[in-house]
């Protein structure tokens, strides 16, 4: 997942509204730039499967075998192969997530998807899911790091390209990061034991007075600005 802004919405349909004209069509996010990490547009495709929330699915060639209203999430939204069906949502709806969670408009709204909130300090997501920073909360998502990557100080591109327990943060606020963004440990404000970089402290993740309930003590190992 990429948080906005990241280039503007491109698409021919709305995945939250499922407004494709054909009775046997669904609106799904897809990748227009081969090799990119994440979906960046939407299109109408034929419904080829009936899998729903939480079921194992396969994404291939700009579509998947999830039913209408669901998206097959692999290790990143732009990857192909095996994944899990997740619920697409309309961010403007009064109750956008029928399966629980909150609606997050990732990738400039191209990928509006429902995700459960979590506690990053205890990593309380089910199964192999990790608890990652997204917008004004932390959400459960499938880790998307490659073998040997996703560690403290490694470059990151999406919220889940770091290992669970780490977060993707601006490189300028980290000691050893030479990229635009790198992974850094999530920590409890006041406890700097996880912070190993020169000048790094456990800095509150959210600005004073803006943290949602339960996130007041969540921080990241960063250089105070």
């Amino acid at each position: 997942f990429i948080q906005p802004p990241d280039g503007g919405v491109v698409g021919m349909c709305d995945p939250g509204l499922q407004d494709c004209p054909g009775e046997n069509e669904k609106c799904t996010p897809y990748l227009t730039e081969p090799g990119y990490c994440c979906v960046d547009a939407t299109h109408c495709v034929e419904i080829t499967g009936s899998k729903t929330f939480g079921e194992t699915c396969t994404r291939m060639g700009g579509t998947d075998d999830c039913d209408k209203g669901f998206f097959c999430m692999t290790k990143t939204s732009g990857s192909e192969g095996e994944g899990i069906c997740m619920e697409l949502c309309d961010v403007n709806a009064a109750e956008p997530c029928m399966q629980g969670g909150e609606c997050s408009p990732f990738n400039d709204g191209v990928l509006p998807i429902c995700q459960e909130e979590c506690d990053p300090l205890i990593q309380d997501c089910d199964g192999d899911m990790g608890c990652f920073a997204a917008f004004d909360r932390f959400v459960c998502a499938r880790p998307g790091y490659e073998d040997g990557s996703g560690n403290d100080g490694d470059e990151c591109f999406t919220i889940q390209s770091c290992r669970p327990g780490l977060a993707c943060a601006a490189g300028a606020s980290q000691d050893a990061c030479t990229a635009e963004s790198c992974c850094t440990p999530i920590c409890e404000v006041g406890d700097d034991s996880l912070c190993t970089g020169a000048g790094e402290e456990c800095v509150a993740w959210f600005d004073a007075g803006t943290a949602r309930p339960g996130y007041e003590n969540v921080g990241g190992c960063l250089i105070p600005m």
Side-chain angles (χ1 to χ4, degrees):
F1 307 109
I2 296 178
Q3 296 184 37
D6 67 350
V9 175
V10 177
M12 60 180 292
C13 58
D14 188 320
L17 297 177
Q18 288 297 319
D19 52 358
C20 292
E23 183 176 343
N24 195 42
E25 289 184 324
K26 67 177 183 180
C27 180
T28 190
Y30 76 110
L31 185 66
T32 62
E33 183 181 341
Y36 187 53
C37 67
C38 308
V39 294
D40 55 1
T42 62
H43 60 177
C44 294
V45 296
E46 181 183 357
I47 299 172
T48 58
S50 59
K51 296 180 177 180
T52 60
F53 179 73
E55 292 189 293
T56 300
C57 54
T58 302
R59 186 154 191 88
M60 195 68 64
T63 188
D64 55 49
D65 55 358
C66 295
D67 204 350
K68 185 175 184 176
F70 298 92
F71 177 82
C72 187
M73 177 57 67
T74 59
K75 64 181 181 180
T76 69
S77 63
S79 303
E80 296 188 335
E82 185 177 290
I84 298 174
C85 289
M86 300 184 71
E87 183 182 5
L88 294 165
C89 50
D90 175 9
V91 294
N92 297 312
E95 296 183 4
C97 296
M98 298 298 101
Q99 307 295 330
E102 294 197 35
C103 188
S104 298
F106 288 102
N107 304 21
D108 283 345
V110 168
L111 182 62
I113 204 160
C114 295
Q115 291 180 296
E116 294 284 351
E117 278 197 65
C118 54
D119 185 337
L121 296 177
I122 61 175
Q123 291 291 318
D124 55 349
C125 297
D126 294 336
D128 62 353
M129 306 279 269
C131 185
F132 299 99
F135 304 100
D136 61 347
R137 63 188 75 105
F138 285 79
V139 298
C140 294
R142 294 191 69 182
Y145 58 85
E146 302 291 343
D147 290 343
S149 68
N151 300 299
D152 186 9
D154 288 346
E155 185 176 12
C156 53
F157 304 94
T158 66
I159 68 166
Q160 75 272 39
S161 57
C162 299
R163 294 176 184 270
L166 304 177
C168 190
S173 62
Q174 300 178 54
D175 171 47
C177 180
T178 58
E180 183 176 347
S181 300
C182 288
C183 300
T184 195
I186 298 169
C187 50
E188 185 170 4
V189 175
D191 181 0
D192 300 332
S193 61
L194 297 177
C195 305
T196 58
E200 292 183 356
E201 301 175 7
C202 188
V203 177
W205 194 258
F206 301 104
D207 293 336
T210 65
R212 291 160 67 102
Y215 295 142
E216 299 91 344
N217 293 326
V218 175
C221 289
L222 305 168
I223 300 172
M225 298 296 181

